[in-house]
Amino acid sequence: QVQLVESGGGLVQAGGSLRLSCAASGRTFSSYGMGWFRQAPGKEREFVASINWSGAITTYADSVKGRFTISRDNGKNSVYLQMDSLNTEDTAIYYCAAAREAGVFVTSGFFRSWGQGTQVTVSS
């Protein structure tokens, strides 16, 4: 199992930006599609963004499209989520996830490994 550790969360005012990082361990990191999910209190975990093994293909939830950017650096075993124009609806715990296949996925069931999450709080 790949091990994932998220970082970069924090408190930011509406309209601000944060960049989340996910550091992965494992010799086969480049074989996995990667994704970001988030969960707010009282809500279901929801898809945010996903990226295929090479980084050539990405997809986003409609709610973050145009504001968030997912990227990866396989040489550094890392995946990132650049979050711009944040609003209070973005407040949640953000989780990095790794699939066992190389493609891009949007359903949590395809992701086999999960990080512990990092809190993002956006103030009004």
Side-chain angles (χ1 to χ4, degrees):
Q1 295 286 338
V2 61
Q3 295 178 320
L4 306 172
V5 180
E6 303 96 335
S7 62
L11 176 66
V12 64
Q13 289 187 333
S17 298
L18 284 173
R19 188 178 191 237
L20 306 183
S21 298
C22 175
S25 62
R27 66 178 68 179
T28 58
F29 173 77
S30 62
S31 297
Y32 305 134
M34 301 290 294
W36 287 95
F37 292 76
R38 66 187 182 186
Q39 187 168 22
K43 295 184 178 181
E44 294 285 321
R45 181 169 54 187
E46 65 174 341
F47 166 77
V48 176
S50 187
I51 189 167
N52 81 322
W53 72 274
S54 70
I57 305 172
T58 60
T59 192
Y60 299 90
D62 289 341
S63 59
V64 306
K65 192 175 299 182
R67 300 189 298 119
F68 291 9
T69 304
I70 187 171
S71 61
R72 69 189 297 162
D73 186 337
N74 289 342
K76 297 181 179 179
N77 286 355
S78 296
V79 63
Y80 309 96
L81 185 68
Q82 178 67 43
M83 306 185 295
D84 299 320
S85 301
L86 287 163
N87 57 62
T88 56
E89 296 296 323
D90 297 315
T91 295
I93 300 175
Y94 284 71
Y95 298 91
C96 177
R100 284 296 183 184
E101 299 182 25
V104 59
F105 304 98
V106 300
T107 302
S108 62
F110 288 99
F111 294 86
R112 298 293 186 180
S113 300
W114 297 81
Q116 285 69 50
T118 185
Q119 177 71 50
V120 172
T121 303
V122 184
S123 62
S124 60

